[in-house]
Amino acid sequence: MSFNHFDSKGQAIMVDISAKQPTLRTAIARSTVQMQPATLQMVVDGALAKGDVLGVARLAGIAAAKKTPDLIPLSHPLALHAVGIEFNWNLEAGSIAVEATVRAFERTGVEMEAMVAASVAALTVYDMCKGQDKGISITETLLLFKEGGKSGTYQRDAAL
Amino acid sequence: MSFNHFDSKGQAIMVDISAKQPTLRTAIARSTVQMQPATLQMVVDGALAKGDVLGVARLAGIAAAKKTPDLIPLSHPLALHAVGIEFNWNLEAGSIAVEATVRAFERTGVEMEAMVAASVAALTVYDMCKGQDKGISITETLLLFKEGGKSGTYQRDAAL
Amino acid sequence: MSFNHFDSKGQAIMVDISAKQPTLRTAIARSTVQMQPATLQMVVDGALAKGDVLGVARLAGIAAAKKTPDLIPLSHPLALHAVGIEFNWNLEAGSIAVEATVRAFERTGVEMEAMVAASVAALTVYDMCKGQDKGISITETLLLFKEGGKSGTYQRDAAL
Amino acid sequence: MSFNHFDSKGQAIMVDISAKQPTLRTAIARSTVQMQPATLQMVVDGALAKGDVLGVARLAGIAAAKKTPDLIPLSHPLALHAVGIEFNWNLEAGSIAVEATVRAFERTGVEMEAMVAASVAALTVYDMCKGQDKGISITETLLLFKEGGKSGTYQRDAAL
Amino acid sequence: MSFNHFDSKGQAIMVDISAKQPTLRTAIARSTVQMQPATLQMVVDGALAKGDVLGVARLAGIAAAKKTPDLIPLSHPLALHAVGIEFNWNLEAGSIAVEATVRAFERTGVEMEAMVAASVAALTVYDMCKGQDKGISITETLLLFKEGGKSGTYQRDAAL
Amino acid sequence: MSFNHFDSKGQAIMVDISAKQPTLRTAIARSTVQMQPATLQMVVDGALAKGDVLGVARLAGIAAAKKTPDLIPLSHPLALHAVGIEFNWNLEAGSIAVEATVRAFERTGVEMEAMVAASVAALTVYDMCKGQDKGISITETLLLFKEGGKSGTYQRDAAL
């Protein structure tokens, strides 16, 4: 049993994937932001009228997916073929889930790209609401689904 | 009541801080990663022997703090003067907290730099352990403390 | 008479500004995109309903202002204090003007930051409309105004 | 009729190109800078003797083509296979055209890479001449040609 | 005889590689840092106990390999498939060699990626030791080996 | 005696410089490239006629100085105020020295910015000549001079 970002001497490496064949990879990650219901109401209203918090966060997440090789030290540079961000909210609870989907025809998985996209979109929601709501926080960031590659399909049982 | 990253027409802007005087700003954020106790044991052992997950994550967090203006769309480019990352873990619970402290003598706060540093360090722990532990997740990312600037000191009551 | 990005031997340099005192600098640049009136109508409607071309372009322009030192080879890294993007359109003519305003308390001017922000916002409008409208083009990119620094105020007489 | 950078709900996405086959793509874009004939004379002389404005602008354009995914929010990261920049000038008119050619064997077109390269090279010419010539401006940025992909060849009728 | 980063008019270009077939490419480069034996002893001890200079330098080198297209003006963006950094030292001589190995299935070689990785890892060792040892320097940076592509295998005879 | 990029527990940190006062800092670094005299002759001729290797390398060095915080993990983001690159060559010996000078009014020194600028300019010379001259190498990278800050002036006795 071992960590696959280290070689046999325990040194950090970018693992060799040159012998792997590209296959279609998909990953979906979710990051949830918790705020006061009144703040979330403003966010949701803003998205429809003016002050589009979610539009800004969506773009931040898509841009961040492309920066993954620059952020995660041992990740491979990948040619992303699709990135999308969805928001789902619960107004009573004051929670909003950011769901990032990434797809690429590549030699390794795109889980980290999805995780980074969801995290940075959530951090952007946080940034735009923190002046309004001191207690806002991100309450989870996790992988929901992945497909493609020899390790097969993964589906987390994670009801919102 | 309004969001301060939008102008009066609801358009996203980088808010004008040119009239503000620089003051010393500090912010501390925390991101917690939850994994199986056996995985955490390996991480902690690795840090002492070989396969230094936490050393890699610490550098990823420090590097990410410097990339904040590139990640958070409406944030200002700031001249960071100090960045540090501490880890605290609970072996029985399988949880490890990443605590990022950022300091700068600047016209605006460094909360987002601390939040980004903690998040990216936690994402890097996630990346390095995910092959070992499918269920690993980040269970919180929040601001613990900030000081400096006219909005004063903020201290979250957030026992680990 | 000479170009100030070269030394006395004609070699490209980042000019020494260390002896200059910081002053408040403002620059406003404009980039205009010309498309078919029907396309512009869709852009403008989209901004109000769904498919927010201008919201995406605004964020691209703000982000690009921060990347100016990375794009313009001999420019200085500057601590931008304010960036805003306004759009003004003429539906009959099919033209939309992107106006970028940048401000900083710095040792050199922020004209290039404003020019880059206007250009990249216009390129983003172009990108999002080009599938719809093959003949779309950017018809001007110019400096409208600058203030601060010893060369004084500049105001272009440039009616839209 | 619709914009292809938005999904059916009008949300910005990086469009899924994973099912497309790579083909050879070429795009040529042009950006024209207008200055006083005396300034252009200096630029052209400089390129031959000392103070090489066009050499600096050419490199800025090539470097910018590689940064396109970082500048244009919904663009895909592409593996560029060729980038070149040509200059053509009219000394009497004081105009100089920057022509950028980009080529890649990819799943989507390289129009934006060519547009970004031409724009940033033109902005760099602007930057280096603006101290000399306050009225300098960029008078057009447009796509001249594209080839490859299912939408076929496009050739603009655009005499200089 | 000519330089292959210029066209027939002597203008800098990113050379067209679109007609080449991808093959497996490997390159190994070495950069050597010379310091006082006492400093090197501290570095080596630190790697085993606390203050992990070599761990930091290794990550800096891996990250820099991914930034090669951004650093070397006429280089192509490549999808790196493996990056590793090894250190070998001579305690008596006070010298430590950084050896970077890069591999990719690509249309052009990865020599510059290996050279950049070795250089930046060596510069990071320099940075971390310079407060301790004013006379520290990098005494060589060179290509040891390359394989793949039509120019064949290259092996430098370069005993440490 | 200790390394100043680690805290008392041996953990890597960006050292706190917030209490330091800005002063004028200068640093000069040199990197030397060794090639066959015939290759160097071509480089030097090219700089005067066509195929401007040194012009490309100069811009690469200036651009790289600005990227130092992104390359050197524990370095601070600094507002560079001047960057220049000079070349001096010995045609008989086939050696060319790249000398980078960096200046800033800052809280910490600019040695690493000068070292990075010299290294990347030298790597670019290497890149552009390697097709011509397999044995080319970089034979030294070192700090020549620094001034400013409480550690005082440093002058290396390093005849070319």
Side-chain angles (χ1 to χ4, degrees):
Chain A
M1 207 158 80
S2 68
F3 294 102
N4 59 11
H5 287 291
F6 296 105
D7 64 16
S8 60
K9 285 178 282 185
Q11 297 172 347
I13 50 167
M14 184 198 283
V15 176
D16 193 345
I17 57 169
S18 61
K20 299 173 80 173
Q21 290 304 311
T23 58
L24 184 60
R25 312 284 187 140
T26 303
I28 306 177
R30 187 175 72 204
S31 205
T32 301
V33 187
Q34 177 66 40
M35 61 187 87
Q36 292 173 13
T39 310
L40 181 56
Q41 186 70 57
M42 290 174 67
V43 167
V44 173
D45 291 350
L48 302 176
K50 60 178 197 161
D52 185 6
V53 170
L54 302 185
V56 176
R58 177 179 287 115
L59 290 173
I62 294 172
K66 295 191 262 188
K67 294 184 216 287
T68 302
D70 215 30
L71 292 171
I72 304 300
L74 303 172
S75 66
H76 296 82
L78 301 182
L80 304 186
H81 291 148
V83 184
I85 306 270
E86 293 281 334
F87 296 100
N88 293 292
W89 54 80
N90 180 328
L91 276 176
E92 292 74 38
S95 68
I96 179 162
V98 182
E99 204 172 294
T101 302
V102 178
R103 186 166 295 150
F105 187 77
E106 273 287 4
R107 285 172 174 80
T108 189
V110 291
E111 295 96 303
M112 290 315 300
E113 283 71 12
M115 290 288 286
V116 165
S119 291
V120 172
L123 285 164
T124 300
V125 170
Y126 177 99
D127 180 41
M128 302 187 88
C129 297
K130 71 183 192 302
Q132 194 64 238
D133 186 342
K134 297 289 181 210
I136 186 173
S137 72
I138 300 174
T139 54
E140 63 166 11
T141 302
L142 45 74
L143 188 73
L144 288 180
F145 176 80
K146 90 181 177 77
E147 191 179 53
K150 71 176 185 214
S151 71
T153 299
Y154 169 79
Q155 170 80 55
R156 188 189 291 259
D157 175 26
L160 192 54
Chain B
M1 207 158 81
S2 68
F3 294 103
N4 59 10
H5 286 292
F6 296 105
D7 65 15
S8 60
K9 284 177 284 185
Q11 296 172 347
I13 50 167
M14 185 198 283
V15 176
D16 193 345
I17 58 169
S18 61
K20 299 173 80 172
Q21 289 305 311
T23 58
L24 185 60
R25 313 284 186 141
T26 303
I28 307 177
R30 187 176 70 204
S31 205
T32 301
V33 187
Q34 178 65 42
M35 61 187 86
Q36 292 174 11
T39 310
L40 181 56
Q41 186 70 58
M42 289 175 67
V43 168
V44 173
D45 290 352
L48 302 175
K50 60 177 198 164
D52 185 6
V53 170
L54 302 185
V56 176
R58 177 179 287 117
L59 289 174
I62 293 173
K66 295 191 261 188
K67 293 184 216 287
T68 302
D70 216 29
L71 292 171
I72 305 298
L74 303 172
S75 67
H76 296 82
L78 301 182
L80 305 186
H81 291 148
V83 184
I85 306 270
E86 293 281 334
F87 297 99
N88 292 292
W89 54 79
N90 180 327
L91 277 176
E92 292 74 38
S95 68
I96 179 163
V98 183
E99 203 172 296
T101 302
V102 178
R103 185 166 295 149
F105 187 76
E106 273 287 5
R107 285 172 173 81
T108 190
V110 291
E111 294 97 301
M112 289 316 300
E113 283 73 11
M115 290 287 287
V116 165
S119 292
V120 173
L123 286 164
T124 301
V125 170
Y126 177 99
D127 179 41
M128 302 185 88
C129 298
K130 72 183 191 300
Q132 194 63 239
D133 186 340
K134 298 288 182 209
I136 186 173
S137 73
I138 300 175
T139 54
E140 64 167 9
T141 302
L142 46 73
L143 187 73
L144 288 180
F145 175 79
K146 89 181 177 77
E147 192 178 55
K150 69 175 188 217
S151 71
T153 299
Y154 168 80
Q155 171 80 56
R156 187 188 292 256
D157 175 25
L160 193 54
Chain C
M1 208 158 81
S2 68
F3 294 103
N4 59 11
H5 287 292
F6 296 105
D7 64 16
S8 60
K9 285 178 282 186
Q11 296 172 349
I13 49 166
M14 186 199 283
V15 176
D16 193 344
I17 56 169
S18 61
K20 298 173 81 172
Q21 290 304 311
T23 58
L24 185 59
R25 314 283 186 142
T26 304
I28 307 178
R30 187 176 71 204
S31 204
T32 300
V33 187
Q34 177 65 42
M35 61 187 87
Q36 294 174 11
T39 310
L40 181 56
Q41 185 70 57
M42 288 174 68
V43 168
V44 173
D45 290 352
L48 302 175
K50 59 178 197 162
D52 185 7
V53 170
L54 303 185
V56 176
R58 177 178 288 116
L59 289 174
I62 294 173
K66 295 191 263 188
K67 293 183 216 287
T68 301
D70 215 30
L71 292 171
I72 305 299
L74 304 172
S75 67
H76 296 82
L78 300 182
L80 304 186
H81 291 147
V83 184
I85 307 268
E86 293 281 334
F87 296 100
N88 292 294
W89 54 79
N90 180 327
L91 276 177
E92 292 74 39
S95 69
I96 179 163
V98 182
E99 204 173 294
T101 302
V102 177
R103 187 165 294 150
F105 187 77
E106 271 288 4
R107 286 171 173 81
T108 190
V110 290
E111 294 96 304
M112 290 316 300
E113 282 73 11
M115 290 287 287
V116 165
S119 293
V120 173
L123 286 164
T124 301
V125 170
Y126 177 99
D127 179 42
M128 301 186 89
C129 297
K130 71 182 194 300
Q132 194 64 238
D133 186 342
K134 297 288 181 209
I136 185 172
S137 73
I138 300 174
T139 55
E140 64 167 10
T141 303
L142 46 73
L143 188 72
L144 289 180
F145 175 80
K146 91 181 175 77
E147 192 180 53
K150 69 177 187 212
S151 70
T153 299
Y154 168 80
Q155 170 80 55
R156 187 189 291 258
D157 175 25
L160 192 54
Chain D
M1 209 157 81
S2 68
F3 295 103
N4 59 11
H5 286 291
F6 296 105
D7 64 16
S8 59
K9 284 178 283 185
Q11 296 173 347
I13 49 167
M14 184 197 284
V15 175
D16 193 345
I17 57 169
S18 61
K20 298 173 80 172
Q21 289 304 310
T23 58
L24 185 60
R25 313 284 186 140
T26 303
I28 306 177
R30 187 175 72 203
S31 203
T32 300
V33 187
Q34 178 65 42
M35 61 188 88
Q36 294 174 10
T39 310
L40 181 56
Q41 186 69 57
M42 290 175 67
V43 168
V44 173
D45 290 352
L48 303 175
K50 59 178 198 162
D52 184 6
V53 171
L54 303 185
V56 176
R58 177 178 287 115
L59 289 174
I62 294 173
K66 294 190 261 187
K67 293 184 217 288
T68 302
D70 216 29
L71 292 171
I72 305 299
L74 304 173
S75 67
H76 297 82
L78 301 182
L80 304 186
H81 291 148
V83 184
I85 307 269
E86 293 282 334
F87 297 100
N88 292 293
W89 54 80
N90 180 327
L91 276 176
E92 294 72 39
S95 68
I96 180 163
V98 183
E99 204 171 294
T101 302
V102 177
R103 186 165 295 147
F105 187 77
E106 271 287 5
R107 286 172 173 80
T108 189
V110 290
E111 296 98 302
M112 289 317 299
E113 283 72 12
M115 290 287 287
V116 165
S119 293
V120 172
L123 286 164
T124 300
V125 170
Y126 176 99
D127 180 41
M128 302 187 87
C129 298
K130 71 182 193 299
Q132 196 64 240
D133 186 343
K134 297 288 181 210
I136 186 173
S137 73
I138 300 174
T139 54
E140 63 166 12
T141 302
L142 45 74
L143 188 73
L144 289 179
F145 176 79
K146 90 180 177 76
E147 193 178 54
K150 68 174 190 219
S151 70
T153 299
Y154 168 80
Q155 171 81 55
R156 187 190 291 257
D157 175 26
L160 193 51
Chain E
M1 209 158 80
S2 68
F3 294 103
N4 58 12
H5 287 291
F6 296 105
D7 63 17
S8 60
K9 285 178 283 187
Q11 297 172 347
I13 50 166
M14 184 199 283
V15 176
D16 193 345
I17 57 169
S18 60
K20 298 174 79 173
Q21 290 303 312
T23 57
L24 184 61
R25 314 283 187 142
T26 303
I28 307 177
R30 186 176 72 204
S31 204
T32 301
V33 187
Q34 178 65 42
M35 62 187 87
Q36 294 174 10
T39 310
L40 182 55
Q41 186 69 58
M42 288 175 67
V43 167
V44 173
D45 290 352
L48 303 175
K50 61 178 196 162
D52 184 6
V53 170
L54 303 184
V56 176
R58 177 178 288 117
L59 289 174
I62 294 172
K66 295 191 262 187
K67 294 184 216 287
T68 301
D70 216 29
L71 292 171
I72 305 299
L74 303 172
S75 67
H76 296 82
L78 301 182
L80 305 185
H81 292 147
V83 184
I85 307 269
E86 292 282 335
F87 297 100
N88 292 294
W89 55 80
N90 180 328
L91 275 177
E92 292 74 38
S95 68
I96 179 163
V98 182
E99 204 173 295
T101 302
V102 177
R103 185 165 296 148
F105 187 77
E106 271 288 3
R107 285 171 173 80
T108 190
V110 290
E111 295 96 307
M112 290 315 300
E113 282 72 11
M115 290 287 287
V116 165
S119 292
V120 172
L123 286 164
T124 301
V125 170
Y126 177 98
D127 180 42
M128 302 186 87
C129 297
K130 71 181 194 300
Q132 194 65 237
D133 186 342
K134 298 289 181 209
I136 186 173
S137 73
I138 300 174
T139 54
E140 63 167 11
T141 303
L142 45 73
L143 188 73
L144 289 180
F145 175 79
K146 89 180 177 77
E147 194 178 53
K150 70 177 186 213
S151 71
T153 299
Y154 169 79
Q155 170 82 55
R156 187 189 291 259
D157 175 25
L160 192 53
Chain F
M1 209 158 80
S2 68
F3 295 103
N4 58 12
H5 287 291
F6 296 105
D7 64 16
S8 59
K9 284 177 285 186
Q11 297 173 346
I13 50 166
M14 184 198 283
V15 176
D16 194 344
I17 57 168
S18 61
K20 298 173 81 173
Q21 289 304 311
T23 58
L24 185 59
R25 313 284 186 141
T26 304
I28 307 177
R30 187 175 71 204
S31 205
T32 301
V33 187
Q34 178 65 43
M35 60 188 87
Q36 294 174 10
T39 310
L40 182 55
Q41 187 68 58
M42 289 175 66
V43 167
V44 173
D45 291 351
L48 302 175
K50 60 178 198 164
D52 184 6
V53 170
L54 303 185
V56 176
R58 177 178 287 116
L59 289 174
I62 294 173
K66 296 191 261 188
K67 294 185 216 286
T68 302
D70 214 29
L71 293 170
I72 305 299
L74 304 173
S75 67
H76 296 83
L78 300 182
L80 305 186
H81 291 147
V83 184
I85 306 270
E86 293 282 334
F87 297 100
N88 292 293
W89 54 79
N90 181 327
L91 276 176
E92 293 73 38
S95 68
I96 180 163
V98 183
E99 204 172 294
T101 303
V102 177
R103 186 165 295 147
F105 188 77
E106 272 287 5
R107 285 172 174 81
T108 190
V110 291
E111 294 96 303
M112 290 316 299
E113 282 73 11
M115 291 286 287
V116 165
S119 293
V120 172
L123 286 165
T124 301
V125 170
Y126 177 99
D127 179 42
M128 301 185 88
C129 298
K130 70 182 194 300
Q132 195 63 239
D133 187 341
K134 298 287 182 210
I136 186 173
S137 73
I138 300 174
T139 55
E140 63 167 11
T141 302
L142 47 72
L143 188 73
L144 289 180
F145 176 79
K146 89 181 178 77
E147 194 178 53
K150 69 176 188 215
S151 70
T153 299
Y154 169 80
Q155 171 80 55
R156 187 189 291 257
D157 175 25
L160 194 51

